[in-house]
Amino acid sequence: MSKKPPAVTSRIPGFYREHISNRLRVMIETGLLSEESVGHLKEGGQLTLDVADRMSENVIGVHGLPLSIALNFRVNNSDVLVPMAVEEPSVVAAASNAARQVRMTGGFFGEATAPIMTTQVQFDDVPDPGRAKGLVEAERERIFQIADAAIPGMVRRGGGCRDLDVRVLDEDHGVLVVHLYVDVGDAMGANVVDAVAEAVAPHIHALTGGTVGLRILSNLPLRRRVFVRCDVSVDALGGPELADGIVKASRFAELDPFRAVTHNKGVMNGVDAVALAMGQDWRSIEAGAHAFASLSGSYRPLVVWRRTESGVHGELDMPMAVGTVGGSTRVHRGVRAAFELMGVKNAGELAIVMGAAGMASNLAALRALAGEGIQRGHMRLHSRKEEVLENARLHAQKVERGGT
Ligand code: MEV
């Protein structure tokens, strides 16, 4: 992770017990938030109607979700505050709890590949697909030039077309698809690669014949991946039975798609909550995650856990098309505040934190399921929350009556 002021720690015991205004004060004290973001959050963090109207069509209001901070995350040796926007109770608490267990053994470690998006150009009725494939491959440098000429800004920032693939999908109907692999820098990159697909299509068409079909990104960006790993000790987990239980739960997901999809839903609880808070295209992330999970022919877990001598070792591998520029990252005030708090400097860092959030959510779910079951934990959390709210209400009454 990027360097942050030394005062920033993601370990803030008792944060959940504080009144919202105190939690916000603690966030302000980190010094990470701009004055504008402080003002925005102090007013409740709502999107204004005119911004909403610019973001979408037929707008009649704004739709709110709680914006929370998942705590205790340590990623690549730095503490990081993890903004989450989610309607499901317990996601934030569960991820924070798991992150606390993971940080006892150093935290999460991850890397992201170069930000290479995939875009597709479809051709139908190609008379000789095998020959066309060879012709397109022989023209790759010229195709890259045309692609790069369509995205000069991205090329100036160091991005551009990097590779090409030709796939014959159906010999009989002459269905051929050309993949272009484009470095999109810190953008999510959908618009960039759509522009590339449209720009190169006529030139490729002149080589293949047939008819031009779709020209659009693939939401399975196999070359834009994030890998995260962590170790958790038996002590942190609460005993060897829980460690064994997590590994058995992982094996269950590896053996059974019915379980794997629920396992992955738990991973996506964390990934999506961060995606939403950070203004990312979570539909694209979701689509890519599940397609990736089923690539081998059977649906597989995105995170697997193995027993080690001292506890468990987890590994996550998934596609992650996210950006720190473009999209709603500029227009949405709350998203800008979330970026300030997280402090990531590029799309790769964001992808790693999101992967860590997914792993933490998965670990928390498996630990609960391997132990007392998910409901007991939910109920405990619910009563803890009720207690906090009741205390806040009593405190407010006291203040109203002139007490302290
Ligand atoms: C609930 O939102 C997520 C879980 O079902 C995930 C899992 O079963 O691993 C608890």
Side-chain angles (χ1 to χ4, degrees):
M1 303 309 311
S2 302
K3 263 212 151 354
K4 284 192 192 154
V8 176
T9 169
S10 64
R11 180 95 190 94
I12 311 173
F15 192 68
Y16 72 91
R17 259 188 250 116
E18 296 293 339
H19 186 266
I20 291 181
S21 59
N22 281 344
R23 292 185 205 138
L24 181 56
R25 187 180 46 72
V26 173
M27 288 299 110
I28 294 169
E29 280 169 7
T30 62
L32 294 171
L33 289 168
S34 64
E35 251 175 61
E36 210 190 326
S37 292
V38 169
H40 176 73
L41 292 173
K42 274 186 171 167
E43 280 164 24
Q46 273 298 356
L47 195 62
T48 59
L49 267 182
D50 60 319
V51 174
D53 206 20
R54 267 185 280 143
M55 287 175 73
S56 184
E57 304 79 36
N58 299 355
V59 170
I60 57 163
V62 292
H63 177 101
L65 275 180
L67 175 66
S68 308
I69 297 292
L71 296 175
N72 306 321
F73 275 81
R74 195 164 174 76
V75 183
N76 286 348
N77 294 316
S78 286
D79 274 25
V80 58
L81 297 165
V82 181
M84 287 189 170
V86 61
E87 88 297 345
E88 183 176 331
S90 88
V91 168
V92 177
S96 303
N97 205 22
R100 188 176 49 76
Q101 291 155 7
V102 173
R103 76 183 275 127
M104 293 178 198
T105 31
F108 299 92
F109 295 91
E111 58 263 356
T113 60
I116 304 288
M117 288 295 276
T118 305
T119 194
Q120 298 190 293
V121 188
Q122 173 204 359
F123 297 92
D124 292 287
D125 307 313
V126 172
D128 184 347
R131 182 168 170 275
K133 177 172 157 64
L135 289 176
V136 175
E137 283 166 353
E139 274 287 282
R140 50 185 278 136
E141 294 307 325
R142 176 75 192 115
I143 295 169
F144 294 170
Q145 278 169 6
I146 297 168
D148 284 351
I151 49 167
M154 182 51 68
V155 172
R156 259 197 314 278
R157 291 192 294 278
C161 196
R162 297 285 183 264
D163 200 5
L164 165 161
D165 247 352
V166 187
R167 301 164 59 223
V168 177
L169 300 186
D170 183 336
E171 192 87 45
D172 295 343
H173 293 94
V175 184
L176 178 135
V177 61
V178 178
H179 282 193
L180 281 108
Y181 300 100
V182 184
D183 184 327
V184 296
D186 288 322
M188 184 275 186
N191 292 334
V192 173
V193 298
D194 291 351
V196 164
E198 290 183 7
V200 299
H203 185 77
I204 302 177
H205 184 220
L207 302 167
T208 58
T211 55
V212 179
L214 310 186
R215 293 148 295 159
I216 184 89
L217 90 165
S218 166
N219 282 120
L220 178 56
L222 268 192
R223 299 197 187 186
R224 194 175 193 181
R225 297 256 280 282
V226 63
F227 309 96
V228 182
R229 63 195 178 280
C230 73
D231 284 280
V232 201
S233 70
V234 159
D235 286 349
L237 290 170
E241 297 78 13
L242 286 168
D244 292 340
I246 288 166
V247 171
K248 285 180 190 160
S250 175
R251 191 167 61 217
F252 180 13
E254 289 167 64
L255 293 169
D256 178 25
F258 290 91
R259 175 55 208 161
V261 69
T262 321
H263 179 103
N264 286 347
K265 193 277 183 179
V267 176
M268 299 314 285
N269 271 347
V271 173
D272 286 344
V274 184
L276 222 60
M278 306 302 283
Q280 304 299 313
D281 182 346
W282 78 96
R283 286 90 55 212
S284 139
I285 298 167
E286 275 281 338
H290 297 294
F292 181 73
S294 35
L295 261 191
S296 67
S298 69
Y299 187 91
R300 311 264 310 152
L302 297 166
V303 177
V304 292
W305 298 92
R306 295 281 178 265
R307 194 70 163 87
T308 60
E309 241 168 60
S310 55
V312 296
H313 174 79
E315 289 189 3
L316 168 142
D317 174 7
M318 65 184 289
M320 193 68 86
V322 292
T324 52
V325 295
S328 65
T329 56
R330 247 175 316 159
V331 281
H332 194 296
R333 208 57 220 74
V335 168
R336 284 207 323 255
F339 266 100
E340 288 164 12
L341 284 171
M342 190 188 276
V344 285
K345 296 291 182 293
N346 56 50
E349 287 190 0
L350 174 58
I352 295 168
V353 174
M354 288 173 63
M359 260 193 121
S361 299
N362 175 243
L363 175 65
L366 299 195
R367 184 182 172 276
L369 290 165
E372 62 186 9
I374 214 84
Q375 289 305 340
R376 284 271 296 276
H378 279 174
M379 291 319 293
R380 204 175 34 248
L381 206 63
H382 182 70
S383 44
R384 185 178 92 173
K385 183 118 211 150
E386 289 298 307
E387 198 182 311
V388 170
L389 290 175
E390 180 60 14
N391 285 343
R393 200 179 55 76
L394 291 175
H395 179 73
Q397 268 180 4
K398 227 168 164 186
V399 171
E400 224 169 78
R401 283 196 226 106
T404 47

